[in-house]
Amino acid sequence: MECLVVNRSVPEIEAQLGAYSVAPNWEFPYHERGEDLNLARVIYEDKTVNGKNYHWWQTHVRGWRNDDGQIEFHAHWELGPTENGNAHIDGVGFAFDRGMSLLGSHLDDAGIDYERTTVETGSNH
């Protein structure tokens, strides 16, 4: 799986991304996967998928601490779960590539250096 790796602490990452409206998201994920960091940035975007119009979308970011103490991030773009429960669960509009691109942009905006890599996924990722 493609990941963006950051060499900062969880509180530092939350503070720096928080300045760009990326907020903790522990209340809403339907499937927790043992992550150390769970963030989302919700926006309004008028988009039609399969003939139905949706408005609230999120970049959902998950991060796991690796053996070197770095955070391995991956992100996806999806419907916001609070406004689109069933469609969110069904994966309507889900886009991994867009989420990763947006995560890179958020990290760039916040001045957080990262490396792009591929990691083998275990049971948690």
Side-chain angles (χ1 to χ4, degrees):
M1 169 184 1
E2 179 185 14
C3 286
L4 303 183
V5 181
V6 173
N7 193 22
R8 303 224 180 160
S9 70
V10 168
E12 286 177 294
I13 294 166
E14 287 178 336
Q16 289 175 290
L17 289 177
Y20 295 91
S21 302
V22 180
N25 190 47
W26 293 108
E27 299 86 9
F28 299 113
Y30 287 106
H31 300 287
E32 291 185 19
R33 295 182 172 102
E35 62 266 34
D36 296 293
L37 195 71
N38 190 314
L39 304 168
R41 182 164 191 256
V42 178
I43 67 164
Y44 183 95
E45 181 177 305
D46 188 18
K47 183 176 179 182
T48 301
V49 179
N50 300 329
K52 186 169 179 188
N53 201 2
Y54 297 95
H55 302 288
W56 292 102
W57 298 82
Q58 70 178 5
T59 306
H60 188 183
V61 179
R62 295 178 189 259
W64 293 265
R65 186 173 314 284
N66 66 20
D67 292 340
D68 295 327
Q70 302 165 312
I71 302 295
E72 296 174 349
F73 281 112
H74 79 92
H76 53 274
W77 171 259
E78 64 186 344
L79 285 167
T82 58
E83 299 298 319
N84 306 286
N86 289 337
H88 172 89
I89 291 170
D90 292 341
V92 173
F94 182 94
F96 180 75
D97 289 342
R98 184 171 180 185
M100 289 299 290
S101 176
L102 288 166
L103 172 58
S105 294
H106 298 326
L107 293 171
D108 289 341
D109 290 345
I112 299 174
D113 293 329
Y114 59 91
E115 293 180 28
R116 192 174 299 270
T117 190
T118 302
V119 298
E120 296 221 10
T121 59
S123 60
N124 288 340
H125 285 62

